[in-house]
Amino acid sequence: ILLLLTTFLGLALLVAVTVQIWSHYLEYQMAQRMVASNAAREQLLLGAAALADERSRTYVLLIGSNGEGRSLDELARARQKVDGLLKAAHDEIASRRGELRDPAYGLASLSRIGQDLTALRSRADEYLTMAGQGQGREVAQRWFREATQVVEELHSSRLTLLQQERPQEPVLLAEATIRAYGGVISESIARNQALMTAALGESEKVASHELQDISRNSGRAMLAWDLVHSQLTTPLSETVKAAIESSHVHYDTTFAPLQDTFLTALLSGVRPAVGPAEWYIIAQRSLSNIAAMQQELLRSSRERLEEQLSQARRSVASWTVLLLGGIAAVVDSVLVVRMRVVQPLEGLSGAMLRLADNDLSTPLPRLSRKDEIGEMSDALRVFKANALRRQREQNDRQVLHGRLQEAYRLLRNDLEAAAAIQKTMLPAAS
């Protein structure tokens, strides 16, 4: 019973430790998925921003504006940057198939985006050769809408990954949310960079729907900034807060006022003094500030996730070591109970049964111990010694009884012999 009880308690302890290991292993797997998802989303975020830049450069070339980004070499470099980031995102998802929840969806989305992007670029190159035929303005607007759909699909793929592996830690969740809103801000600025460049370079009155698009993009960015500030109640790091504040100050004090001024002038039919090239540079600076904010958010999230992964790995290792130690302790406890308790008790029990059968020749276990089992062994030795003494006394009594019987027999024989002699000495009866 003692051996079974020890085994049961040991197994219960091992089961409890195993449950803890499984729990921490699940946390480790979750941390792995978060790291993998964050790495893929990072490349998708940077890829979306680069694709928006390529879209603006291509749009400026298509409309034939004198804004910045007209160089075909610069467009080629922008395309290479987009291709590199999309390939990096593809490689991240492909190399972490076992860690992401649905890698097939991400790879399929990237493949579809790549095909759409290739088709868009082919049409853009074709349109650029046709721009001299007066078709640039018309095709540019249609191409811009199609390119915007591809950018939105890239953002959608990133947000889908975020929903699949949504952070639970408040700071990580806040940083991911701010990055999502930052993506909205960046996309709004990038759209207005292209649209305002076209509007400022237009010689005639700008179409009302184009100005409405610019206004909507501006309102979307302002709402996104309000949502970003709603996340600042979370205890973010000081460097992240500084990056957000710096980007917002530039937007609020430089970019937004100029954008509103130009939009108001265009709505009233007045040509602003600033040309498309100057506006393109202003928007590019604001986009650079947003990109710096995103980079700081990405760096902070990456470090936090790596720390969580390291901590989860250490927890699994610690509990695994504890499990191995527990197994060794249980095995040692069972062996100790078996060798120090069960086997001595079995030896004492067998000796007691043989002594009970009057087998006083049975050897007794030699246990030089000062515990209860040692006391039982000493008591059994005393019992055997007393039994041997009683046996010797019984044997002595039997020997004495035999001697007395023999003496009585001899005495009786002597008496009978004396009686016979006496009888022969008496005279015969007359």
Side-chain angles (χ1 to χ4, degrees):
I1 291 175
L2 182 60
L3 187 60
L4 289 176
L5 181 61
T6 303
T7 303
F8 173 77
L9 293 177
L11 291 177
L13 174 63
L14 295 180
V15 169
V17 174
T18 303
V19 170
Q20 288 293 328
I21 291 177
W22 180 249
S23 175
H24 286 284
Y25 180 70
L26 292 179
E27 293 180 1
Y28 173 72
Q29 285 188 320
M30 176 61 73
Q32 276 188 319
R33 289 197 297 269
M34 286 303 306
V35 169
S37 175
N38 187 73
R41 285 186 283 112
E42 178 177 342
Q43 299 303 324
L44 291 175
L45 177 63
L46 298 176
L51 182 56
D53 179 64
E54 178 189 340
R55 178 189 59 190
S56 296
R57 294 181 182 278
T58 305
Y59 184 69
V60 170
L61 286 170
L62 288 174
I63 63 177
S65 171
N66 59 349
E68 290 293 326
R70 292 182 300 163
S71 170
L72 291 177
D73 292 337
E74 291 180 355
L75 177 59
R77 286 194 293 271
R79 289 180 175 182
Q80 290 176 357
K81 183 178 180 181
V82 172
D83 293 340
L85 290 170
L86 293 183
K87 183 179 184 303
H90 181 278
D91 293 343
E92 283 288 347
I93 296 176
S95 63
R96 298 175 183 266
R97 288 177 178 269
E99 300 172 9
L100 294 173
R101 196 180 301 274
D102 189 9
Y105 172 82
L107 293 175
S109 297
L110 284 175
S111 177
R112 185 170 58 254
I113 290 171
Q115 294 173 0
D116 294 342
L117 185 57
T118 300
L120 277 172
R121 288 172 174 174
S122 297
R123 285 201 298 273
D125 293 339
E126 180 182 354
Y127 294 157
L128 286 173
T129 62
M130 299 170 57
Q133 304 175 15
Q135 301 180 21
R137 182 73 178 180
E138 177 184 352
V139 299
Q141 292 178 352
R142 183 168 62 252
W143 185 92
F144 185 84
R145 289 192 295 270
E146 294 175 355
T148 298
Q149 291 178 356
V150 176
V151 175
E152 290 177 347
E153 187 174 358
L154 195 56
H155 279 295
S156 177
S157 299
R158 178 174 60 86
L159 295 177
T160 299
L161 283 175
L162 177 61
Q163 292 301 321
Q164 290 176 352
E165 306 297 342
R166 191 170 182 83
Q168 301 300 320
E169 201 267 331
V171 174
L172 285 173
L173 180 58
E175 290 178 346
T177 304
I178 293 173
R179 289 203 305 273
Y181 294 146
V184 174
I185 297 169
S186 178
E187 173 62 7
S188 299
I189 296 174
R191 290 184 188 181
N192 280 356
Q193 179 187 36
L195 295 176
M196 188 73 80
T197 299
L200 292 174
E202 186 68 35
S203 58
E204 300 177 356
K205 183 177 177 61
V206 181
S208 60
H209 69 86
E210 294 183 15
L211 297 178
Q212 289 175 359
D213 288 342
I214 294 173
S215 180
R216 279 194 295 268
N217 291 331
S218 176
R220 188 181 298 113
M222 293 299 295
L223 176 59
W225 273 119
D226 291 338
L227 295 174
V228 167
H229 280 83
S230 69
Q231 298 295 320
L232 296 182
T233 55
T234 307
L236 301 172
S237 67
E238 293 302 322
T239 55
V240 169
K241 289 182 178 180
I244 295 173
E245 185 63 23
S246 174
S247 181
H248 182 254
V249 167
H250 180 272
Y251 180 89
D252 203 36
T253 61
T254 303
F255 180 81
L258 288 174
Q259 179 177 249
D260 293 341
T261 300
F262 297 160
L263 181 60
T264 301
L266 291 172
L267 287 171
S268 62
V270 178
R271 307 303 302 176
V274 174
E278 292 82 359
W279 165 253
Y280 195 96
I281 294 174
I282 292 171
Q284 196 65 36
R285 288 173 181 170
S286 185
L287 286 172
S288 298
N289 286 328
I290 299 297
M293 179 188 76
Q294 297 285 55
Q295 287 287 358
E296 182 60 30
L297 286 165
L298 290 169
R299 183 201 60 78
S300 177
S301 295
R302 194 184 312 118
E303 290 179 356
R304 289 180 182 276
L305 287 171
E306 289 294 341
E307 176 59 28
Q308 282 191 357
L309 182 62
S310 298
Q311 184 176 356
R313 187 184 295 112
R314 289 193 298 269
S315 297
V316 172
S318 299
W319 282 99
T320 302
V321 171
L322 183 60
L323 176 63
L324 296 177
I327 293 174
V330 170
V331 172
D332 186 64
S333 298
V334 170
L335 292 177
V336 168
V337 170
R338 176 67 182 170
M339 297 175 63
R340 295 283 297 173
V341 179
V342 177
Q343 287 183 347
L345 286 177
E346 288 178 348
L348 292 174
S349 176
M352 291 175 65
L353 291 175
R354 290 190 293 272
L355 289 176
D357 290 337
N358 205 27
D359 183 9
L360 299 181
S361 63
T362 182
L364 297 181
R366 294 185 174 277
L367 301 174
S368 300
R369 298 166 57 170
K370 297 184 179 299
D371 54 8
E372 290 80 357
I373 295 179
E375 294 178 357
M376 291 176 61
S377 177
D378 294 339
L380 191 60
R381 291 183 180 281
V382 172
F383 175 81
K384 181 179 180 180
N386 291 334
L388 290 172
R389 181 176 55 80
R390 287 193 298 271
Q391 187 182 52
R392 286 194 298 271
E393 291 178 352
Q394 181 68 23
N395 291 336
D396 291 343
R397 284 195 294 269
Q398 289 179 353
V399 170
L400 180 60
H401 180 69
R403 290 176 180 176
L404 290 174
Q405 284 183 335
E406 181 65 20
Y408 175 75
R409 185 182 65 78
L410 293 175
L411 179 60
R412 185 174 180 177
N413 291 338
D414 291 341
L415 290 174
E416 288 177 354
I421 294 173
Q422 288 179 355
K423 187 176 180 180
T424 57
M425 292 178 62
L426 293 177
S430 57

